């Protein structure tokens, strides 16, 4: 039923270049957000928090979800392993970063997870991983 592929997607889903993205507006800490992406998209290495790799794709994904009301939204990067060394949850250093002014700052007792500031043109902040907020999931389509 290829013809349904686009139209069957709900309002919180978009599909771009063989990847599907989902805006999860249920507030979660980072671990629950990661689990939710697997629940939504499958746990066979398919569903994960969105891991931005290029500005071109990031601008498309952020643009599609920028009207969402939440001001802070989880994506799939962290520095829990080595402070100051941000990596994707899938592994490897960031290929692309979009930090807000003076971020990341590991504020207070420490901040090790990466969020989008939707109120600051989609630039990023490091925040405490226990913060409860929405998130963006990604699925790489089979065969891509
Ligand atoms: C401010 C800044 C940020 C920090 C948050 C934590 O906005 O210091 O870097 O992450 O506070 O709430
Ligand atoms: Ca940190
Ligand atoms: Ca910060």
């Amino acid at each position: 039923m290829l013809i349904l592929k686009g139209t069957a997607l709900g309002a919180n889903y978009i599909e771009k270049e063989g990847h599907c993205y989902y805006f999860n507006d249920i507030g979660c800490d980072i671990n629950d957000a990661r689990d939710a992406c697997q629940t939504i998209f499958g746990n066979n290495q398919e569903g994960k928090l969105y891991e931005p790799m290029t500005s071109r794709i990031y601008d498309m994904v952020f643009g599609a979800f920028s009207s969402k009301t939440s001001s802070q939204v989880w994506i799939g990067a962290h520095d829990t392993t080595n402070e100051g060394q941000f990596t994707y949850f899938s592994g490897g250093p960031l290929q692309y970063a979009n930090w807000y002014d003076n971020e990341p700052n590991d504020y207070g007792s420490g901040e090790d997870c990466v969020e989008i500031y939707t109120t600051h043109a989609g630039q990023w902040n490091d925040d405490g991983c226990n913060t409860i907020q929405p998130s963006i999931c990604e699925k790489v389509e089979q065969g891509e």
Side-chain angles (χ1 to χ4, degrees):
M1 294 295 284
L2 259 184
I3 199 164
L4 285 179
K5 201 175 172 189
T7 53
L9 298 176
N12 282 22
Y13 291 88
I14 59 164
E15 192 175 19
K16 300 281 186 192
E17 301 183 15
H19 294 226
C20 192
Y21 303 91
Y22 175 71
F23 188 93
N24 180 13
D25 46 25
I26 297 173
C28 293
D29 66 22
I30 201 77
N31 288 326
D32 287 348
R34 295 179 69 197
D35 287 348
C37 292
Q38 295 203 335
T39 301
I40 291 157
F41 276 148
N43 59 13
N44 191 21
Q45 306 231 329
E46 294 167 357
K48 59 184 183 182
L49 284 172
Y50 171 40
E51 298 180 352
M53 300 280 178
T54 70
S55 61
R56 188 180 66 83
I57 302 282
Y58 181 75
D59 289 350
M60 289 198 298
V61 174
F62 174 69
F65 295 136
S66 61
S67 65
K68 299 291 177 183
T69 50
S70 177
S71 61
Q72 290 152 267
V73 178
W74 291 130
I75 54 175
H78 70 109
D79 74 334
T80 52
T81 311
N82 292 306
E83 174 53 37
Q85 304 295 309
F86 283 87
T87 63
Y88 299 110
F89 280 105
S90 300
L94 301 188
Q95 305 296 302
Y96 163 70
N98 188 26
W99 296 111
Y100 185 56
D101 295 347
N102 303 315
E103 305 296 347
N105 64 354
D106 205 45
Y107 181 79
S109 56
E111 302 182 306
D112 294 343
C113 291
V114 181
E115 66 190 10
I116 298 172
Y117 269 159
T118 61
T119 47
H120 292 296
Q123 290 188 287
W124 301 355
N125 177 44
D126 58 339
D127 201 352
C129 300
N130 292 329
T131 306
I132 307 291
Q133 56 195 25
S135 48
I136 297 176
C137 302
E138 173 179 19
K139 179 183 181 177
V140 178
E141 299 293 329
Q142 296 288 341
E144 300 285 341

